[in-house]
Amino acid sequence: MKKSISMLLALVMVFGLTACGGSAEPTVPETVPSVSLEGTMEELVNQVITEQPVEFMGGIMPVDLADTSEDGLWAIKYYTGLDNADQIEDVAVYEPMMGSIAFSLVMVRAKDGVATKELAESMKAGIDTRKWICVEADDLKVTGFGDVVMLIMVGSDSGMTAQSFVDAFQKVCAAQVEGAALEFTI
């Protein structure tokens, strides 16, 4: 009796494994860039700010991606939400000159072969919306096109919305690539 049940279970397992076997194609990471926007990240940030002006004094903050010291890794985390620069090759950050305004616009270019949607999700999960002393960003979006990811976070009391900057980024992309549409927004 035990032998019959064992044999029956073995057959069920064989048929189950055969049914799952198939000739599945390997999965490709979601949103591996097929196009590349022209210009440095600083130039793209400036184009977005031109499309969607801000009403405060701001500027591009330097982030040294090659600096692996404690301070360098802190800066990468502070601005991008990433623990290191392994997946990015260029970054530009636009923030207010005064720290009492919750606003950060971050543009990164992914290295070749990096799935930008996964990179964007990591940035969103890792960013600190309370990184400023007295204010917090409560409107956060991360979007991407080609090999570029843009993270925007603002405080709702600023009169600005993250969506307005996503729309501005869409216009910048469309100006470079006819018929361009953002590949994702999270």
Side-chain angles (χ1 to χ4, degrees), residues 66-90:
D67 185 355
T68 58
S69 71
E70 187 175 330
D71 288 343
L73 292 175
W74 175 87
I76 291 168
K77 179 73 171 178
Y78 181 80
Y79 290 117
T80 69
L82 301 171
D83 292 325
N84 56 55
D86 291 349
Q87 296 183 317
I88 57 177
E89 65 181 46
D90 190 11

Side-chain angles (χ1 to χ4, degrees), residues 32-110:
V32 171
S34 58
V35 294
S36 179
L37 293 174
E38 293 179 19
T40 66
M41 295 302 92
E42 185 172 342
E43 291 166 342
L44 291 174
V45 165
N46 284 325
Q47 291 173 30
V48 169
I49 295 297
T50 299
E51 285 291 331
Q52 176 57 56
V54 295
E55 297 191 17
F56 56 79
M57 295 268 302
I60 302 284
M61 307 297 165
V63 180
D64 183 0
L65 297 179
D67 185 355
T68 58
S69 71
E70 187 175 330
D71 288 343
L73 292 175
W74 175 87
I76 291 168
K77 179 73 171 178
Y78 181 80
Y79 290 117
T80 69
L82 301 171
D83 292 325
N84 56 55
D86 291 349
Q87 296 183 317
I88 57 177
E89 65 181 46
D90 190 11
V91 64
V93 180
Y94 188 90
E95 291 196 348
M97 297 292 183
M98 293 180 56
S100 62
I101 300 171
F103 180 93
S104 186
L105 175 68
V106 180
M107 195 83 65
V108 302
R109 184 176 306 278

Side-chain angles (χ1 to χ4, degrees), residues 90-179:
D90 190 11
V91 64
V93 180
Y94 188 90
E95 291 196 348
M97 297 292 183
M98 293 180 56
S100 62
I101 300 171
F103 180 93
S104 186
L105 175 68
V106 180
M107 195 83 65
V108 302
R109 184 176 306 278
K111 288 184 177 177
D112 286 340
V114 171
T116 52
K117 187 169 184 184
E118 292 173 11
L119 176 63
E121 289 169 348
S122 295
M123 290 173 67
K124 186 174 183 179
I127 200 69
D128 181 5
T129 58
R130 292 196 49 84
K131 67 182 192 173
W132 304 279
I133 296 172
C134 300
V135 295
E136 176 179 9
D138 55 1
D139 188 4
L140 168 66
K141 291 199 181 291
V142 186
T143 190
F145 179 80
D147 61 351
V148 176
V149 174
M150 182 185 81
L151 179 146
I152 176 69
M153 59 181 177
V154 301
S156 59
D157 60 346
S158 68
M160 298 178 283
T161 66
Q163 186 61 49
S164 65
F165 290 91
V166 170
D167 295 343
F169 183 50
Q170 169 62 52
K171 289 178 184 176
V172 169
C173 295
Q176 283 196 27
V177 181
E178 186 177 332

